[in-house]
């Protein structure tokens, strides 16, 4: 299996932002939406996202999905399904996330993403 980093993403929660995609999530309840930036060798742009979670004691099932708008105006939909792990120390506010991610676009310049199943790994800072 050939794994390569497609891009890095930084997301920010925006209180009161309306849901980006008008459909229910794959798991859990809607928690909120936000924006972000995406930077990679082949894909760079902005992100709008929705988060759904099914909260349990130490693990939260998550569905993060939304839209990428590339700097050259292509629209790419993404959909993740995975988990957030709650920190073991109550004072720790950094949660760890891992998810599978799929993409869909009708833009021929990025159609190669329709065949990609990626992994999304990162952290979530509950304090900010």
């Amino acid at each position: 299996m050939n794994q390569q980093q497609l891009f890095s993403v930084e997301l920010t929660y925006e209180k009161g932002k309306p849901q980006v995609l008008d459909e229910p999530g794959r798991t859990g309840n809607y928690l909120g939406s936000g924006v972000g930036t995406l930077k990679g060798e082949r894909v760079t742009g902005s992100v709008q996202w929705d988060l759904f979670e099914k909260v349990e004691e130490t693990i939260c099932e998550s569905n993060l999905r939304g839209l990428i708008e590339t700097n050259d105006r292509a629209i790419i939909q993404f959909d993740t399904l995975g988990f957030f792990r709650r920190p073991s120390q109550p004072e720790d506010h950094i949660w760890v996330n891992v998810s599978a991610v799929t993409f869909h676009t009708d833009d021929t310049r990025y159609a190669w993403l329709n065949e990609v199943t990626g992994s999304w790994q990162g952290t979530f800072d509950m304090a900010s």
Side-chain angles (χ1 to χ4, degrees):
M1 180 184 296
N2 181 14
Q3 292 186 348
Q4 58 183 323
Q5 184 171 343
L6 294 176
F7 43 74
S8 295
V9 179
E10 181 143 342
L11 303 177
T12 305
Y13 168 72
E14 285 193 346
K15 187 175 183 174
K17 179 174 176 50
Q19 195 170 322
V20 176
L21 299 175
D22 189 25
E23 54 192 56
R26 294 181 184 275
T27 188
N29 299 312
Y30 173 70
L31 292 185
S33 299
V35 297
T37 57
L38 180 140
K39 295 179 183 174
E41 200 171 294
R42 296 177 69 185
V43 184
T44 299
S46 62
V47 179
Q48 296 185 63
W49 56 270
D50 299 322
L51 178 61
F52 295 81
E53 282 188 3
K54 180 180 176 187
V55 179
E56 297 180 15
E57 190 172 325
T58 59
I59 297 285
C60 297
E61 293 180 38
S62 66
N63 177 212
L64 180 71
R65 77 240 172 92
L67 300 172
I68 298 165
E69 182 176 352
T70 65
N71 287 350
D72 56 0
R73 302 276 188 218
I75 300 296
I76 304 164
Q77 187 169 337
F78 67 92
D79 191 1
T80 76
L81 196 55
F83 298 94
F84 283 99
R85 181 180 49 80
R86 188 179 299 222
S88 59
Q89 302 300 318
E91 66 277 359
D92 193 358
H93 53 88
I94 304 295
W95 292 42
V96 176
N97 169 255
V98 64
S99 300
V101 58
T102 58
F103 303 93
H104 175 75
T105 184
D106 292 328
D107 193 300
T108 56
R109 297 170 295 173
Y110 296 94
W112 58 274
L113 279 171
N114 294 335
E115 303 300 319
V116 169
T117 301
S119 65
W120 183 300
Q121 301 172 42
T123 58
F124 181 79
D125 186 341
M126 287 295 288
S128 64

